[in-house]
PDB file of all heavy atoms in Angstrom:
ATOM      1  N   VAL A 312     -83.608 104.656 131.178  1.00  0.00           N
ATOM      2  CA  VAL A 312     -84.219 104.274 129.876  1.00  0.00           C
ATOM      3  C   VAL A 312     -83.729 105.064 128.708  1.00  0.00           C
ATOM      4  O   VAL A 312     -83.477 104.536 127.569  1.00  0.00           O
ATOM      5  CB  VAL A 312     -85.673 104.047 129.913  1.00  0.00           C
ATOM      6  CG1 VAL A 312     -86.301 103.651 128.664  1.00  0.00           C
ATOM      7  CG2 VAL A 312     -85.986 103.001 131.039  1.00  0.00           C
ATOM      8  N   GLY A 313     -83.690 106.393 128.835  1.00  0.00           N
ATOM      9  CA  GLY A 313     -83.254 107.264 127.785  1.00  0.00           C
ATOM     10  C   GLY A 313     -83.308 108.670 128.338  1.00  0.00           C
ATOM     11  O   GLY A 313     -83.505 108.941 129.410  1.00  0.00           O
ATOM     12  N   PRO A 314     -82.967 109.618 127.375  1.00  0.00           N
ATOM     13  CA  PRO A 314     -82.834 111.011 127.798  1.00  0.00           C
ATOM     14  C   PRO A 314     -84.094 111.628 128.229  1.00  0.00           C
ATOM     15  O   PRO A 314     -84.018 112.675 128.887  1.00  0.00           O
ATOM     16  CB  PRO A 314     -82.341 111.673 126.484  1.00  0.00           C
ATOM     17  CG  PRO A 314     -82.707 110.756 125.347  1.00  0.00           C
ATOM     18  CD  PRO A 314     -82.699 109.409 125.920  1.00  0.00           C
ATOM     19  N   LEU A 315     -85.213 110.994 128.045  1.00  0.00           N
ATOM     20  CA  LEU A 315     -86.540 111.593 128.536  1.00  0.00           C
ATOM     21  C   LEU A 315     -86.979 110.768 129.703  1.00  0.00           C
ATOM     22  O   LEU A 315     -88.281 110.697 130.024  1.00  0.00           O
ATOM     23  CB  LEU A 315     -87.502 111.722 127.373  1.00  0.00           C
ATOM     24  CG  LEU A 315     -87.113 112.539 126.187  1.00  0.00           C
ATOM     25  CD1 LEU A 315     -88.173 112.689 125.171  1.00  0.00           C
ATOM     26  CD2 LEU A 315     -86.716 114.020 126.635  1.00  0.00           C
ATOM     27  N   ILE A 355     -91.134 106.178 119.504  1.00  0.00           N
ATOM     28  CA  ILE A 355     -89.852 106.894 119.842  1.00  0.00           C
ATOM     29  C   ILE A 355     -89.793 107.543 121.177  1.00  0.00           C
ATOM     30  O   ILE A 355     -88.908 107.339 121.921  1.00  0.00           O
ATOM     31  CB  ILE A 355     -89.500 107.922 118.757  1.00  0.00           C
ATOM     32  CG1 ILE A 355     -89.272 107.208 117.374  1.00  0.00           C
ATOM     33  CG2 ILE A 355     -88.207 108.612 119.145  1.00  0.00           C
ATOM     34  CD1 ILE A 355     -89.138 108.097 116.197  1.00  0.00           C
ATOM     35  N   GLU A 358     -89.377 104.857 123.701  1.00  0.00           N
ATOM     36  CA  GLU A 358     -88.097 104.302 123.680  1.00  0.00           C
ATOM     37  C   GLU A 358     -87.130 105.232 124.361  1.00  0.00           C
ATOM     38  O   GLU A 358     -86.129 104.834 125.031  1.00  0.00           O
ATOM     39  CB  GLU A 358     -87.538 104.092 122.290  1.00  0.00           C
ATOM     40  CG  GLU A 358     -86.197 103.455 122.164  1.00  0.00           C
ATOM     41  CD  GLU A 358     -85.814 103.076 120.779  1.00  0.00           C
ATOM     42  OE1 GLU A 358     -86.658 102.613 119.940  1.00  0.00           O
ATOM     43  OE2 GLU A 358     -84.681 103.224 120.347  1.00  0.00           O
ATOM     44  N   LEU A 359     -87.335 106.571 124.348  1.00  0.00           N
ATOM     45  CA  LEU A 359     -86.530 107.551 124.956  1.00  0.00           C
ATOM     46  C   LEU A 359     -86.813 107.747 126.416  1.00  0.00           C
ATOM     47  O   LEU A 359     -86.139 108.505 127.182  1.00  0.00           O
ATOM     48  CB  LEU A 359     -86.719 108.962 124.196  1.00  0.00           C
ATOM     49  CG  LEU A 359     -86.226 108.990 122.854  1.00  0.00           C
ATOM     50  CD1 LEU A 359     -86.763 110.349 122.205  1.00  0.00           C
ATOM     51  CD2 LEU A 359     -84.771 108.885 122.698  1.00  0.00           C
ATOM     52  N   GLY A 360     -87.854 106.970 126.948  1.00  0.00           N
ATOM     53  CA  GLY A 360     -88.087 106.984 128.437  1.00  0.00           C
ATOM     54  C   GLY A 360     -89.246 107.908 128.827  1.00  0.00           C
ATOM     55  O   GLY A 360     -89.484 108.065 130.012  1.00  0.00           O
ATOM     56  N   ARG A 399     -88.251 116.905 109.794  1.00  0.00           N
ATOM     57  CA  ARG A 399     -87.214 116.773 110.677  1.00  0.00           C
ATOM     58  C   ARG A 399     -87.682 115.982 111.921  1.00  0.00           C
ATOM     59  O   ARG A 399     -86.942 115.070 112.383  1.00  0.00           O
ATOM     60  CB  ARG A 399     -86.661 118.119 111.238  1.00  0.00           C
ATOM     61  CG  ARG A 399     -85.930 118.961 110.328  1.00  0.00           C
ATOM     62  CD  ARG A 399     -84.554 118.327 109.779  1.00  0.00           C
ATOM     63  NE  ARG A 399     -83.679 117.991 110.784  1.00  0.00           N
ATOM     64  CZ  ARG A 399     -82.706 118.678 111.329  1.00  0.00           C
ATOM     65  NH1 ARG A 399     -82.589 119.969 111.007  1.00  0.00           N
ATOM     66  NH2 ARG A 399     -81.797 118.201 112.086  1.00  0.00           N
ATOM     67  N   ILE A 400     -88.795 116.312 112.467  1.00  0.00           N
ATOM     68  CA  ILE A 400     -89.491 115.538 113.520  1.00  0.00           C
ATOM     69  C   ILE A 400     -90.468 114.538 112.942  1.00  0.00           C
ATOM     70  O   ILE A 400     -91.328 114.964 112.165  1.00  0.00           O
ATOM     71  CB  ILE A 400     -90.144 116.442 114.619  1.00  0.00           C
ATOM     72  CG1 ILE A 400     -89.111 117.478 115.139  1.00  0.00           C
ATOM     73  CG2 ILE A 400     -90.847 115.683 115.689  1.00  0.00           C
ATOM     74  CD1 ILE A 400     -87.979 116.904 115.789  1.00  0.00           C
ATOM     75  N   PRO A 401     -90.451 113.299 113.362  1.00  0.00           N
ATOM     76  CA  PRO A 401     -91.303 112.342 112.605  1.00  0.00           C
ATOM     77  C   PRO A 401     -92.774 112.657 112.922  1.00  0.00           C
ATOM     78  O   PRO A 401     -93.184 112.737 114.089  1.00  0.00           O
ATOM     79  CB  PRO A 401     -90.849 110.991 113.204  1.00  0.00           C
ATOM     80  CG  PRO A 401     -90.289 111.328 114.588  1.00  0.00           C
ATOM     81  CD  PRO A 401     -89.571 112.688 114.394  1.00  0.00           C
ATOM     82  N   GLY A 431     -85.241 122.394 122.481  1.00  0.00           N
ATOM     83  CA  GLY A 431     -84.068 121.745 122.002  1.00  0.00           C
ATOM     84  C   GLY A 431     -83.842 120.282 122.532  1.00  0.00           C
ATOM     85  O   GLY A 431     -83.387 119.483 121.852  1.00  0.00           O
ATOM     86  N   ILE A 432     -84.210 120.166 123.746  1.00  0.00           N
ATOM     87  CA  ILE A 432     -84.023 118.854 124.411  1.00  0.00           C
ATOM     88  C   ILE A 432     -84.871 117.813 123.666  1.00  0.00           C
ATOM     89  O   ILE A 432     -84.441 116.748 123.427  1.00  0.00           O
ATOM     90  CB  ILE A 432     -84.470 118.921 125.865  1.00  0.00           C
ATOM     91  CG1 ILE A 432     -83.421 119.666 126.671  1.00  0.00           C
ATOM     92  CG2 ILE A 432     -84.677 117.589 126.561  1.00  0.00           C
ATOM     93  CD1 ILE A 432     -83.822 120.050 128.193  1.00  0.00           C
ATOM     94  N   LEU A 433     -86.096 118.146 123.371  1.00  0.00           N
ATOM     95  CA  LEU A 433     -87.068 117.261 122.697  1.00  0.00           C
ATOM     96  C   LEU A 433     -86.524 116.920 121.272  1.00  0.00           C
ATOM     97  O   LEU A 433     -86.428 115.733 120.929  1.00  0.00           O
ATOM     98  CB  LEU A 433     -88.436 117.772 122.570  1.00  0.00           C
ATOM     99  CG  LEU A 433     -89.338 116.749 121.981  1.00  0.00           C
ATOM    100  CD1 LEU A 433     -89.781 115.683 122.945  1.00  0.00           C
ATOM    101  CD2 LEU A 433     -90.610 117.337 121.360  1.00  0.00           C
ATOM    102  N   CYS A 434     -86.120 117.989 120.513  1.00  0.00           N
ATOM    103  CA  CYS A 434     -85.706 117.782 119.159  1.00  0.00           C
ATOM    104  C   CYS A 434     -84.338 116.910 119.137  1.00  0.00           C
ATOM    105  O   CYS A 434     -84.247 115.876 118.453  1.00  0.00           O
ATOM    106  CB  CYS A 434     -85.499 119.050 118.515  1.00  0.00           C
ATOM    107  SG  CYS A 434     -86.902 120.082 118.164  1.00  0.00           S
ATOM    108  N   ARG A 435     -83.492 117.276 119.911  1.00  0.00           N
ATOM    109  CA  ARG A 435     -82.178 116.598 119.998  1.00  0.00           C
ATOM    110  C   ARG A 435     -82.444 115.067 120.370  1.00  0.00           C
ATOM    111  O   ARG A 435     -81.756 114.132 119.928  1.00  0.00           O
ATOM    112  CB  ARG A 435     -81.236 117.194 121.006  1.00  0.00           C
ATOM    113  CG  ARG A 435     -79.850 116.639 121.070  1.00  0.00           C
ATOM    114  CD  ARG A 435     -79.028 117.500 121.878  1.00  0.00           C
ATOM    115  NE  ARG A 435     -79.475 117.678 123.292  1.00  0.00           N
ATOM    116  CZ  ARG A 435     -79.875 118.865 123.809  1.00  0.00           C
ATOM    117  NH1 ARG A 435     -80.006 119.948 123.026  1.00  0.00           N
ATOM    118  NH2 ARG A 435     -80.291 118.972 125.052  1.00  0.00           N
ATOM    119  N   SER A 436     -83.327 114.817 121.381  1.00  0.00           N
ATOM    120  CA  SER A 436     -83.644 113.471 121.869  1.00  0.00           C
ATOM    121  C   SER A 436     -84.235 112.644 120.748  1.00  0.00           C
ATOM    122  O   SER A 436     -83.887 111.497 120.522  1.00  0.00           O
ATOM    123  CB  SER A 436     -84.468 113.556 123.178  1.00  0.00           C
ATOM    124  OG  SER A 436     -83.891 114.236 124.207  1.00  0.00           O
ATOM    125  N   LEU A 437     -85.276 113.164 120.122  1.00  0.00           N
ATOM    126  CA  LEU A 437     -85.938 112.430 119.128  1.00  0.00           C
ATOM    127  C   LEU A 437     -85.056 112.194 117.931  1.00  0.00           C
ATOM    128  O   LEU A 437     -85.087 111.019 117.405  1.00  0.00           O
ATOM    129  CB  LEU A 437     -87.084 113.442 118.616  1.00  0.00           C
ATOM    130  CG  LEU A 437     -88.383 113.537 119.534  1.00  0.00           C
ATOM    131  CD1 LEU A 437     -89.288 114.498 118.904  1.00  0.00           C
ATOM    132  CD2 LEU A 437     -89.040 112.167 119.701  1.00  0.00           C
ATOM    133  N   LEU A 438     -84.273 113.024 117.498  1.00  0.00           N
ATOM    134  CA  LEU A 438     -83.322 112.694 116.379  1.00  0.00           C
ATOM    135  C   LEU A 438     -82.150 111.814 116.651  1.00  0.00           C
ATOM    136  O   LEU A 438     -81.455 111.336 115.840  1.00  0.00           O
ATOM    137  CB  LEU A 438     -82.796 114.043 115.748  1.00  0.00           C
ATOM    138  CG  LEU A 438     -83.726 114.584 114.623  1.00  0.00           C
ATOM    139  CD1 LEU A 438     -85.150 114.993 115.173  1.00  0.00           C
ATOM    140  CD2 LEU A 438     -83.159 115.659 113.926  1.00  0.00           C
ATOM    141  N   SER A 439     -81.942 111.601 118.027  1.00  0.00           N
ATOM    142  CA  SER A 439     -80.822 110.737 118.433  1.00  0.00           C
ATOM    143  C   SER A 439     -81.061 109.334 118.074  1.00  0.00           C
ATOM    144  O   SER A 439     -80.048 108.529 117.988  1.00  0.00           O
ATOM    145  CB  SER A 439     -80.624 110.928 119.926  1.00  0.00           C
ATOM    146  OG  SER A 439     -81.676 110.349 120.688  1.00  0.00           O
ATOM    147  N   VAL A 440     -82.327 108.912 117.770  1.00  0.00           N
ATOM    148  CA  VAL A 440     -82.510 107.503 117.437  1.00  0.00           C
ATOM    149  C   VAL A 440     -82.733 107.247 116.031  1.00  0.00           C
ATOM    150  O   VAL A 440     -83.288 106.240 115.578  1.00  0.00           O
ATOM    151  CB  VAL A 440     -83.767 106.987 118.230  1.00  0.00           C
ATOM    152  CG1 VAL A 440     -83.526 107.153 119.803  1.00  0.00           C
ATOM    153  CG2 VAL A 440     -85.098 107.760 117.902  1.00  0.00           C
ATOM    154  N   ARG A 441     -82.436 108.258 115.124  1.00  0.00           N
ATOM    155  CA  ARG A 441     -82.699 108.191 113.741  1.00  0.00           C
ATOM    156  C   ARG A 441     -84.186 107.863 113.347  1.00  0.00           C
ATOM    157  O   ARG A 441     -84.529 106.769 113.005  1.00  0.00           O
ATOM    158  CB  ARG A 441     -81.800 107.194 113.036  1.00  0.00           C
ATOM    159  CG  ARG A 441     -80.255 107.555 113.045  1.00  0.00           C
ATOM    160  CD  ARG A 441     -79.446 106.548 112.307  1.00  0.00           C
ATOM    161  NE  ARG A 441     -79.761 106.507 110.800  1.00  0.00           N
ATOM    162  CZ  ARG A 441     -79.323 105.656 110.021  1.00  0.00           C
ATOM    163  NH1 ARG A 441     -78.472 104.720 110.425  1.00  0.00           N
ATOM    164  NH2 ARG A 441     -79.535 105.711 108.686  1.00  0.00           N
ATOM    165  N   PRO A 442     -85.039 108.792 113.501  1.00  0.00           N
ATOM    166  CA  PRO A 442     -86.439 108.657 113.220  1.00  0.00           C
ATOM    167  C   PRO A 442     -86.798 107.980 111.894  1.00  0.00           C
ATOM    168  O   PRO A 442     -87.790 107.383 111.776  1.00  0.00           O
ATOM    169  CB  PRO A 442     -87.037 110.086 113.286  1.00  0.00           C
ATOM    170  CG  PRO A 442     -86.073 110.850 114.162  1.00  0.00           C
ATOM    171  CD  PRO A 442     -84.710 110.337 113.880  1.00  0.00           C
ATOM    172  N   ALA A 443     -85.974 108.189 110.932  1.00  0.00           N
ATOM    173  CA  ALA A 443     -86.147 107.676 109.575  1.00  0.00           C
ATOM    174  C   ALA A 443     -86.284 106.114 109.598  1.00  0.00           C
ATOM    175  O   ALA A 443     -86.921 105.470 108.714  1.00  0.00           O
ATOM    176  CB  ALA A 443     -85.138 108.108 108.498  1.00  0.00           C
ATOM    177  N   LEU A 444     -85.770 105.565 110.650  1.00  0.00           N
ATOM    178  CA  LEU A 444     -85.810 104.016 110.836  1.00  0.00           C
ATOM    179  C   LEU A 444     -87.253 103.628 111.320  1.00  0.00           C
ATOM    180  O   LEU A 444     -87.468 102.467 111.232  1.00  0.00           O
ATOM    181  CB  LEU A 444     -84.665 103.501 111.661  1.00  0.00           C
ATOM    182  CG  LEU A 444     -83.245 103.850 111.230  1.00  0.00           C
ATOM    183  CD1 LEU A 444     -82.251 103.297 112.292  1.00  0.00           C
ATOM    184  CD2 LEU A 444     -83.016 103.235 109.812  1.00  0.00           C
ATOM    185  N   TYR A 445     -87.935 104.619 111.833  1.00  0.00           N
ATOM    186  CA  TYR A 445     -89.254 104.285 112.349  1.00  0.00           C
ATOM    187  C   TYR A 445     -90.347 104.860 111.507  1.00  0.00           C
ATOM    188  O   TYR A 445     -91.443 104.409 111.496  1.00  0.00           O
ATOM    189  CB  TYR A 445     -89.361 104.940 113.711  1.00  0.00           C
ATOM    190  CG  TYR A 445     -88.495 104.509 114.904  1.00  0.00           C
ATOM    191  CD1 TYR A 445     -87.226 104.933 114.799  1.00  0.00           C
ATOM    192  CD2 TYR A 445     -88.905 103.706 115.944  1.00  0.00           C
ATOM    193  CE1 TYR A 445     -86.253 104.522 115.800  1.00  0.00           C
ATOM    194  CE2 TYR A 445     -88.069 103.306 116.818  1.00  0.00           C
ATOM    195  CZ  TYR A 445     -86.646 103.728 116.882  1.00  0.00           C
ATOM    196  OH  TYR A 445     -85.840 103.292 117.827  1.00  0.00           O
ATOM    197  N   LEU A 450     -86.914 112.753 107.488  1.00  0.00           N
ATOM    198  CA  LEU A 450     -85.623 112.811 106.847  1.00  0.00           C
ATOM    199  C   LEU A 450     -84.639 112.162 107.751  1.00  0.00           C
ATOM    200  O   LEU A 450     -84.644 112.152 109.017  1.00  0.00           O
ATOM    201  CB  LEU A 450     -85.261 114.308 106.789  1.00  0.00           C
ATOM    202  CG  LEU A 450     -86.092 115.103 105.765  1.00  0.00           C
ATOM    203  CD1 LEU A 450     -85.726 116.651 105.927  1.00  0.00           C
ATOM    204  CD2 LEU A 450     -85.872 114.648 104.386  1.00  0.00           C
ATOM    205  N   ASP A 451     -83.583 111.462 107.136  1.00  0.00           N
ATOM    206  CA  ASP A 451     -82.536 110.806 107.872  1.00  0.00           C
ATOM    207  C   ASP A 451     -81.373 111.770 108.075  1.00  0.00           C
ATOM    208  O   ASP A 451     -80.264 111.584 107.541  1.00  0.00           O
ATOM    209  CB  ASP A 451     -82.122 109.509 107.170  1.00  0.00           C
ATOM    210  CG  ASP A 451     -81.370 108.561 107.994  1.00  0.00           C
ATOM    211  OD1 ASP A 451     -81.276 108.920 109.210  1.00  0.00           O
ATOM    212  OD2 ASP A 451     -80.914 107.570 107.519  1.00  0.00           O
ATOM    213  N   VAL A 452     -81.631 112.889 108.769  1.00  0.00           N
ATOM    214  CA  VAL A 452     -80.767 113.964 108.901  1.00  0.00           C
ATOM    215  C   VAL A 452     -80.489 114.069 110.479  1.00  0.00           C
ATOM    216  O   VAL A 452     -81.458 114.499 111.145  1.00  0.00           O
ATOM    217  CB  VAL A 452     -81.125 115.183 108.272  1.00  0.00           C
ATOM    218  CG1 VAL A 452     -80.086 116.382 108.495  1.00  0.00           C
ATOM    219  CG2 VAL A 452     -81.338 115.025 106.838  1.00  0.00           C
ATOM    220  N   PRO A 453     -79.271 114.006 110.971  1.00  0.00           N
ATOM    221  CA  PRO A 453     -79.116 114.047 112.451  1.00  0.00           C
ATOM    222  C   PRO A 453     -79.221 115.394 112.921  1.00  0.00           C
ATOM    223  O   PRO A 453     -79.002 116.410 112.227  1.00  0.00           O
ATOM    224  CB  PRO A 453     -77.806 113.393 112.678  1.00  0.00           C
ATOM    225  CG  PRO A 453     -76.991 113.707 111.334  1.00  0.00           C
ATOM    226  CD  PRO A 453     -78.102 113.550 110.291  1.00  0.00           C
ATOM    227  N   TRP A 454     -79.498 115.481 114.176  1.00  0.00           N
ATOM    228  CA  TRP A 454     -79.541 116.857 114.799  1.00  0.00           C
ATOM    229  C   TRP A 454     -78.082 117.301 114.974  1.00  0.00           C
ATOM    230  O   TRP A 454     -77.277 116.598 115.572  1.00  0.00           O
ATOM    231  CB  TRP A 454     -80.180 116.836 116.275  1.00  0.00           C
ATOM    232  CG  TRP A 454     -80.417 118.133 116.800  1.00  0.00           C
ATOM    233  CD1 TRP A 454     -79.802 118.792 117.818  1.00  0.00           C
ATOM    234  CD2 TRP A 454     -81.465 119.002 116.473  1.00  0.00           C
ATOM    235  NE1 TRP A 454     -80.261 119.973 118.122  1.00  0.00           N
ATOM    236  CE2 TRP A 454     -81.425 120.179 117.331  1.00  0.00           C
ATOM    237  CE3 TRP A 454     -82.571 119.015 115.535  1.00  0.00           C
ATOM    238  CZ2 TRP A 454     -82.213 121.294 117.241  1.00  0.00           C
ATOM    239  CZ3 TRP A 454     -83.396 120.089 115.462  1.00  0.00           C
ATOM    240  CH2 TRP A 454     -83.211 121.280 116.325  1.00  0.00           C
ATOM    241  N   ARG A 455     -77.692 118.555 114.582  1.00  0.00           N
ATOM    242  CA  ARG A 455     -76.355 118.976 114.692  1.00  0.00           C
ATOM    243  C   ARG A 455     -76.083 119.696 115.933  1.00  0.00           C
ATOM    244  O   ARG A 455     -76.983 120.445 116.384  1.00  0.00           O
ATOM    245  CB  ARG A 455     -76.120 119.940 113.461  1.00  0.00           C
ATOM    246  CG  ARG A 455     -76.139 119.289 112.062  1.00  0.00           C
ATOM    247  CD  ARG A 455     -76.004 120.387 111.011  1.00  0.00           C
ATOM    248  NE  ARG A 455     -77.050 121.234 110.913  1.00  0.00           N
ATOM    249  CZ  ARG A 455     -77.165 122.548 111.089  1.00  0.00           C
ATOM    250  NH1 ARG A 455     -76.107 123.151 111.433  1.00  0.00           N
ATOM    251  NH2 ARG A 455     -78.306 123.121 110.816  1.00  0.00           N
TER     252      ARG A 455
END
Side-chain angles (χ1 to χ4, degrees):
V312 172
L315 303 180
I355 294 172
E358 183 173 321
L359 294 170
R399 285 301 302 273
I400 302 299
I432 288 171
L433 183 79
C434 294
R435 184 169 61 251
S436 299
L437 288 171
L438 270 68
S439 69
V440 299
R441 291 186 67 186
L444 300 179
Y445 300 74
L450 293 172
D451 198 4
V452 178
W454 190 259
R455 293 176 289 116

